[in-house]
PDB file of all heavy atoms in Angstrom:
ATOM      1  N   SER A   4     -13.095 -23.083   8.470  1.00 94.00           N
ATOM      2  CA  SER A   4     -12.404 -23.001   9.729  1.00 94.00           C
ATOM      3  C   SER A   4     -11.421 -21.838   9.909  1.00 94.00           C
ATOM      4  O   SER A   4     -11.211 -21.282  10.935  1.00 94.00           O
ATOM      5  CB  SER A   4     -11.783 -24.331   9.999  1.00 94.00           C
ATOM      6  OG  SER A   4     -12.701 -25.360   9.919  1.00 94.00           O
ATOM      7  N   GLY A  45     -17.165  -2.298   4.457  1.00 97.00           N
ATOM      8  CA  GLY A  45     -18.040  -2.903   5.451  1.00 97.00           C
ATOM      9  C   GLY A  45     -17.612  -2.908   6.834  1.00 97.00           C
ATOM     10  O   GLY A  45     -17.940  -3.664   7.593  1.00 97.00           O
ATOM     11  N   ALA A  58      12.708   1.907   2.556  1.00 97.00           N
ATOM     12  CA  ALA A  58      12.730   0.548   2.150  1.00 97.00           C
ATOM     13  C   ALA A  58      13.160   0.367   0.663  1.00 97.00           C
ATOM     14  O   ALA A  58      12.855   1.219  -0.232  1.00 97.00           O
ATOM     15  CB  ALA A  58      11.352  -0.063   2.279  1.00 97.00           C
ATOM     16  N   PHE A  73      -8.848  -9.697  -3.818  1.00 98.00           N
ATOM     17  CA  PHE A  73     -10.069  -9.225  -3.190  1.00 98.00           C
ATOM     18  C   PHE A  73     -11.317  -9.835  -3.842  1.00 98.00           C
ATOM     19  O   PHE A  73     -11.491  -9.671  -5.061  1.00 98.00           O
ATOM     20  CB  PHE A  73     -10.077  -7.616  -3.477  1.00 98.00           C
ATOM     21  CG  PHE A  73      -8.995  -6.964  -2.825  1.00 98.00           C
ATOM     22  CD1 PHE A  73      -7.848  -6.531  -3.473  1.00 98.00           C
ATOM     23  CD2 PHE A  73      -9.009  -6.639  -1.408  1.00 98.00           C
ATOM     24  CE1 PHE A  73      -6.716  -5.874  -2.822  1.00 98.00           C
ATOM     25  CE2 PHE A  73      -7.922  -5.981  -0.764  1.00 98.00           C
ATOM     26  CZ  PHE A  73      -6.786  -5.569  -1.549  1.00 98.00           C
ATOM     27  N   ALA A 149     -21.808  -7.291 -19.130  1.00 97.00           N
ATOM     28  CA  ALA A 149     -23.282  -7.201 -19.438  1.00 97.00           C
ATOM     29  C   ALA A 149     -24.138  -7.464 -18.172  1.00 97.00           C
ATOM     30  O   ALA A 149     -25.340  -7.255 -18.129  1.00 97.00           O
ATOM     31  CB  ALA A 149     -23.682  -8.233 -20.509  1.00 97.00           C
ATOM     32  N   PRO A 154     -23.641   1.451 -11.291  1.00 96.00           N
ATOM     33  CA  PRO A 154     -22.214   1.991 -11.385  1.00 96.00           C
ATOM     34  C   PRO A 154     -21.499   1.634 -10.228  1.00 96.00           C
ATOM     35  O   PRO A 154     -22.090   1.132  -9.227  1.00 96.00           O
ATOM     36  CB  PRO A 154     -22.362   3.523 -11.369  1.00 96.00           C
ATOM     37  CG  PRO A 154     -23.715   3.757 -10.630  1.00 96.00           C
ATOM     38  CD  PRO A 154     -24.568   2.593 -11.130  1.00 96.00           C
ATOM     39  N   GLY A 172      10.290 -20.401  -2.591  1.00 98.00           N
ATOM     40  CA  GLY A 172      11.464 -20.923  -3.151  1.00 98.00           C
ATOM     41  C   GLY A 172      11.201 -22.248  -3.695  1.00 98.00           C
ATOM     42  O   GLY A 172      11.831 -22.785  -4.625  1.00 98.00           O
ATOM     43  N   SER A 194       2.060 -26.857 -12.601  1.00 95.00           N
ATOM     44  CA  SER A 194       3.520 -26.865 -12.709  1.00 95.00           C
ATOM     45  C   SER A 194       3.967 -25.517 -11.918  1.00 95.00           C
ATOM     46  O   SER A 194       3.500 -24.454 -12.364  1.00 95.00           O
ATOM     47  CB  SER A 194       3.966 -26.707 -14.214  1.00 95.00           C
ATOM     48  OG  SER A 194       5.351 -26.590 -14.232  1.00 95.00           O
ATOM     49  N   HIS A 205     -11.922 -23.135  -2.915  1.00 98.00           N
ATOM     50  CA  HIS A 205     -10.915 -23.423  -4.052  1.00 98.00           C
ATOM     51  C   HIS A 205      -9.412 -23.125  -3.526  1.00 98.00           C
ATOM     52  O   HIS A 205      -8.648 -23.973  -3.852  1.00 98.00           O
ATOM     53  CB  HIS A 205     -11.374 -22.811  -5.272  1.00 98.00           C
ATOM     54  CG  HIS A 205     -11.472 -21.349  -5.361  1.00 98.00           C
ATOM     55  ND1 HIS A 205     -10.538 -20.497  -5.250  1.00 98.00           N
ATOM     56  CD2 HIS A 205     -12.712 -20.723  -5.482  1.00 98.00           C
ATOM     57  CE1 HIS A 205     -10.951 -19.176  -5.367  1.00 98.00           C
ATOM     58  NE2 HIS A 205     -12.316 -19.301  -5.556  1.00 98.00           N
ATOM     59  N   ALA A 218      14.511 -19.434  -4.060  1.00 98.00           N
ATOM     60  CA  ALA A 218      14.732 -18.222  -3.312  1.00 98.00           C
ATOM     61  C   ALA A 218      15.060 -18.568  -1.809  1.00 98.00           C
ATOM     62  O   ALA A 218      14.530 -19.689  -1.303  1.00 98.00           O
ATOM     63  CB  ALA A 218      13.523 -17.410  -3.299  1.00 98.00           C
ATOM     64  N   ALA A 239     -12.664 -24.106  18.190  1.00 95.00           N
ATOM     65  CA  ALA A 239     -12.144 -25.370  17.837  1.00 95.00           C
ATOM     66  C   ALA A 239     -10.941 -25.106  16.717  1.00 95.00           C
ATOM     67  O   ALA A 239      -9.839 -25.836  16.995  1.00 95.00           O
ATOM     68  CB  ALA A 239     -13.119 -26.375  17.254  1.00 95.00           C
ATOM     69  N   LEU A 244      -4.974 -24.672  15.796  1.00 97.00           N
ATOM     70  CA  LEU A 244      -3.697 -23.829  15.518  1.00 97.00           C
ATOM     71  C   LEU A 244      -2.729 -23.814  16.657  1.00 97.00           C
ATOM     72  O   LEU A 244      -1.536 -23.918  16.472  1.00 97.00           O
ATOM     73  CB  LEU A 244      -4.129 -22.455  15.042  1.00 97.00           C
ATOM     74  CG  LEU A 244      -4.817 -22.261  13.674  1.00 97.00           C
ATOM     75  CD1 LEU A 244      -5.180 -20.720  13.509  1.00 97.00           C
ATOM     76  CD2 LEU A 244      -3.804 -22.747  12.575  1.00 97.00           C
TER      77      LEU A 244
END
Side-chain angles (χ1 to χ4, degrees):
S4 301
F73 297 97
S194 179
H205 53 72
L244 284 178

